[in-house]
Amino acid sequence: MLSRRNLIIGSGATLAGGLVLTPGAALSASGTIALPTDLEAERMITVTAAPTRANLVAMTFDDGPHPTYTPALLDILKKRRIRATFYVIGQNVARYPDIVKRMVDEGHEIGNHTWRHPFLTKLGSKNVLRELDRTSDAVYRAVQRIPVTMRPPYGALSRKQRAMIHDEREMPTILWSVDPEDWRRPGSTVVASRIVGGARPGAIILSHDIHGATVKAMPAALDGLIEKGYRFETVSMILGRRDWSKLRWRLPKLAQG
Ligand code: NI
């Protein structure tokens, strides 16, 4: 079986057996996941919006999954055939793996939002990577795939840390270009109008699926965007990367885990 110990995330990671893995490397007999080779060429370290003139936006939802609000949001998205990206907190994934499974089954992308939502700027590299790896591991356990982008809690991550994460885990740091500040609980009408009013081609829109008012705002926000001619893509897609749901994660037969 695949154990946490031999689930290797990203490049340059050292296997329990001492082997060093690089992305796109041929699979060895050891327990490794080879990252898709298209990630190797990317030099995208920090992203706030997508460089596109097309009427595309990416909805992103942070801090979940939440046991009731997230399923309600998934219903809203499904009804409109909208695919979004969820920046999940690892310990919530461990609690609600079935909700993460549903997200993936319905075409959404999963991003990494750390294990326990700390201020990463206060942590050293080792602990930053631990926050990310634990979360990717929980996501892997739930849906047999791992996030390829991360978002720092509070958007707080130094330039040096962003480069370190890119080097060590091949993950670009995804920030946002539209922030309705839903966490301040301004009410669902305000949240919806800020989202619709703030949208531009290539916008990455931040919201949180742990607030009832945010989920309540979504029908009006999404319909407002549709009315303005916007279409929705996941973060990977809007950045011109391969559709995360279609990435093929090659898993070798594992030795004793
Ligand atoms: Ni957050």
Side-chain angles (χ1 to χ4, degrees), residues 239-251:
L239 295 178
R241 294 173 156 217
R242 278 162 63 200
D243 183 345
W244 184 79
S245 71
K246 296 201 171 94
L247 292 179
R248 277 188 290 172
W249 300 97
R250 295 173 300 164
L251 280 177

Side-chain angles (χ1 to χ4, degrees), residues 70-89:
T70 304
L73 172 61
L74 288 169
D75 290 342
I76 292 166
L77 294 168
K78 191 177 182 181
K79 197 176 163 193
R80 293 164 180 78
R81 298 183 180 194
I82 289 170
R83 294 169 67 188
T85 304
F86 288 86
Y87 284 94
V88 294
I89 294 177

Side-chain angles (χ1 to χ4, degrees), residues 62-63 113 117 153 208:
D62 291 11
D63 297 355
H113 196 46
H117 210 270
H208 298 82

Side-chain angles (χ1 to χ4, degrees), residues 55-119:
N55 272 348
L56 296 170
V57 294
M59 298 301 302
T60 63
F61 297 97
D62 291 11
D63 297 355
H66 180 282
T68 54
Y69 297 140
T70 304
L73 172 61
L74 288 169
D75 290 342
I76 292 166
L77 294 168
K78 191 177 182 181
K79 197 176 163 193
R80 293 164 180 78
R81 298 183 180 194
I82 289 170
R83 294 169 67 188
T85 304
F86 288 86
Y87 284 94
V88 294
I89 294 177
Q91 55 190 6
N92 293 343
V93 174
R95 276 181 83 182
Y96 309 111
D98 291 351
I99 300 177
V100 181
K101 174 104 175 35
R102 183 180 165 193
M103 290 170 178
V104 172
D105 288 346
E106 295 179 0
H108 305 296
E109 178 170 345
I110 310 298
N112 192 319
H113 196 46
T114 75
W115 179 257
R116 59 186 173 90
H117 210 270
F119 272 101

Side-chain angles (χ1 to χ4, degrees), residues 89-149:
I89 294 177
Q91 55 190 6
N92 293 343
V93 174
R95 276 181 83 182
Y96 309 111
D98 291 351
I99 300 177
V100 181
K101 174 104 175 35
R102 183 180 165 193
M103 290 170 178
V104 172
D105 288 346
E106 295 179 0
H108 305 296
E109 178 170 345
I110 310 298
N112 192 319
H113 196 46
T114 75
W115 179 257
R116 59 186 173 90
H117 210 270
F119 272 101
L120 295 178
T121 45
K122 293 178 178 167
L123 301 183
S125 297
K126 198 177 154 192
N127 286 328
V128 167
L129 293 177
R130 197 196 305 270
E131 283 281 333
L132 295 173
D133 289 352
R134 260 188 110 177
T135 302
S136 290
D137 184 288
V139 171
Y140 185 84
R141 282 165 182 271
V143 297
Q144 287 75 58
R145 45 183 59 235
I146 59 175
V148 296
T149 68

